């Protein structure tokens, strides 16, 4: 019952935001199709969301803009739920090619059937995560003007460093971070292809994880967006504590979602996904791994 109340509360909050967005002043805000953004004037102000999905968009927030992206996700895997509380990302446009970022995601572990697994606690456990401080830098974008070469992808570099926010995290994971290269090709005015590759590391891990994603993005109208994505991770030196053994860990996940801009400054999103393959020797039924999420992006202001 508590889980249902949380979901109803969050959905109601998102609905209230969408209603409020319809009465926000448009005055200096311009909303056009995302593919026209690169040919727009400097006076036009844009919402450009990284969420939803695991891959990160290659667009950099324009100079002087402050944007907030948040949401929650419910993950079900083998008689347990994990609820993000919530994922929160603040983006600050520092330069036309540079943005600063601050991100945090905590999770709640909920064991649905504690009697079936005596090693899992039956109470709700909250797990904090490191506070991510980072930057996204636009490396190249050859579209528009004399250098219009759409076959060359827009390319950005994303770097994050994780700062522990508790004594336990400082002991377990004093240093963590990631470096990603983000690419995007606009095939038509309504169809684009995004692909990312990067490494993620923790201080205690002997080798970094390799992450890769591929997404197809479809934007039939100015307000509506659809996507389907595959995101994959490879860890050459993983360790399973329940089996007390090392193994090579890699997984393939799929997700799909929808975005809708209820206002030039506010976008709502929903997505769902599942696991196709997981090499963890303790996992034999990947179809039991599934997740669902809702979120909102708010372009707060221009400094």
């Amino acid at each position: 019952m508590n889980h249902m109340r949380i979901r109803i509360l969050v959905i109601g909050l998102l609905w209230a935001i969408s209603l409020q967005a319809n009465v926000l002043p448009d005055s200096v805000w311009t909303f056009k199709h995302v593919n026209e953004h690169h040919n727009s004037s400097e006076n036009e102000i844009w919402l450009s969301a990284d969420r939803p999905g695991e891959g990160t968009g290659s667009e950099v927030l324009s100079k002087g803009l402050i944007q907030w992206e948040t949401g929650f996700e419910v993950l079900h895997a083998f008689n347990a739920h994990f609820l993000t509380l919530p994922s929160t990302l603040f983006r600050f446009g520092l330069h036309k090619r540079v943005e600063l970022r601050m991100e945090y995601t905590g999770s709640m572990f909920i064991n649905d059937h504690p009697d079936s697994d005596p090693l899992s606690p039956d109470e709700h456990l909250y797990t904090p995560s490191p506070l991510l401080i980072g930057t996204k830098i636009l490396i190249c974008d050859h579209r528009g003007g004399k250098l219009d070469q759409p076959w060359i992808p827009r390319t950005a570099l994303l770097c994050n460093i994780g700062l522990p926010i508790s004594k336990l995290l400082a002991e377990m994971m004093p240093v963590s971070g990631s470096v990603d290269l983000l690419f995007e090709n606009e095939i038509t005015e309504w169809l684009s292809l995004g692909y990312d590759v990067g490494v993620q590391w923790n201080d205690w891990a002997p080798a970094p994880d390799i992450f890769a994603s591929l997404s197809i993005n479809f934007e039939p109208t100015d307000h509506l967006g659809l996507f389907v994505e595959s995101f994959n991770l490879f860890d050459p030196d993983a360790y399973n504590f329940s089996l007390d053994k090392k193994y090579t860990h890699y997984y393939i996940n799929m997700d799909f979602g929808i975005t809708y801009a209820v206002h030039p400054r506010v976008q709502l999103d929903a997505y769902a996904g599942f696991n196709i393959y997981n090499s963890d020797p303790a996992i034999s039924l990947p179809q039991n791994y599934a997740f669902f999420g809702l979120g909102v992006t708010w372009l707060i202001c221009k400094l």
Side-chain angles (χ1 to χ4, degrees):
M1 180 62 68
N2 290 335
H3 308 164
M4 182 60 67
R5 290 176 179 174
I6 292 174
R7 295 175 189 176
I8 294 175
L9 177 62
V10 174
I11 293 173
L13 176 62
L14 295 178
W15 178 250
I17 292 174
S18 69
L19 293 178
Q20 178 65 24
N22 289 327
V23 299
L24 292 174
D26 282 323
S27 61
V28 299
W29 305 92
T30 300
F31 183 72
K32 298 169 62 180
H33 195 280
V34 66
N35 294 307
E36 299 174 1
H37 172 49
H38 307 284
N39 298 322
S40 60
S41 71
E42 294 183 357
N43 293 327
E44 293 178 338
I45 299 176
W46 273 80
L47 178 151
S48 173
D50 279 355
R51 60 167 302 116
E54 292 294 321
T56 303
S58 61
E59 282 194 288
V60 171
L61 201 64
S62 298
K63 181 180 179 181
L65 298 187
I66 300 176
Q67 187 164 289
W68 176 48
E69 304 180 18
T70 188
F72 79 97
E73 179 181 289
V74 177
L75 165 65
H76 175 76
F78 304 100
N79 297 328
H81 281 85
F82 297 87
L83 175 65
T84 60
L85 297 171
S87 62
T88 298
L89 169 64
F90 283 96
R91 301 169 60 189
F92 308 89
L94 186 65
H95 182 269
K96 65 179 181 180
R97 287 181 173 268
V98 180
E99 70 175 48
L100 299 180
R101 304 161 64 89
M102 183 172 63
E103 183 175 6
Y104 176 78
T105 300
S107 64
M108 178 74 76
F109 170 80
I110 304 169
N111 191 5
D112 298 331
H113 303 284
D115 295 337
S116 65
D117 186 358
L119 297 179
S120 297
D122 56 1
E123 68 269 17
H124 299 176
L125 294 178
Y126 177 76
T127 303
S129 66
L131 176 66
L132 297 180
I133 304 296
T135 182
K136 188 197 294 186
I137 302 171
L138 182 63
I139 297 176
C140 71
D141 189 352
H142 290 294
R143 288 164 298 178
K146 297 180 180 179
L147 297 178
D148 191 3
Q149 296 173 311
W151 57 272
I152 297 179
R154 179 172 61 237
T155 305
L157 176 68
L158 175 62
C159 302
N160 283 309
I161 184 168
L163 304 178
I165 62 171
S166 68
K167 182 178 179 180
L168 180 61
L169 273 178
E171 294 174 352
M172 295 180 56
M173 201 184 321
V175 178
S176 62
S178 63
V179 177
D180 299 270
L181 278 173
L182 319 172
F183 305 95
E184 184 178 1
N185 285 96
E186 290 181 359
I187 301 172
T188 69
E189 290 186 355
W190 46 267
L191 183 66
S192 66
L193 183 68
Y195 41 105
D196 306 343
V197 63
V199 293
Q200 307 168 354
W201 73 89
N202 300 307
D203 182 67
W204 48 264
D209 298 341
I210 300 173
F211 174 85
S213 70
L214 174 66
S215 64
I216 300 174
N217 310 295
F218 178 59
E219 297 167 353
T221 73
D222 288 353
H223 294 264
L224 179 65
L226 306 168
F227 78 92
V228 60
E229 176 187 43
S230 170
F231 59 97
N232 320 286
L233 181 137
F234 176 78
D235 181 359
D237 198 15
Y239 185 82
N240 187 290
F241 290 94
S242 62
L243 300 179
D244 191 23
K245 63 181 295 186
K246 289 187 177 182
Y247 67 103
T248 298
H249 186 202
Y250 55 95
Y251 63 68
I252 302 174
N253 288 349
M254 292 290 297
D255 65 339
F256 53 90
I258 182 171
T259 63
Y260 190 78
V262 296
H263 183 273
R265 287 192 279 170
V266 179
Q267 174 182 286
L268 305 182
D269 65 71
Y271 64 96
F274 55 91
N275 175 247
I276 295 177
Y277 180 77
N278 195 322
S279 68
D280 190 330
I283 295 177
S284 59
L285 297 173
Q287 61 268 27
N288 280 359
Y289 179 98
F291 53 92
F292 168 77
L294 294 173
V296 60
T297 297
W298 177 24
L299 181 57
I300 299 175
C301 65
K302 177 178 175 60
L303 297 179

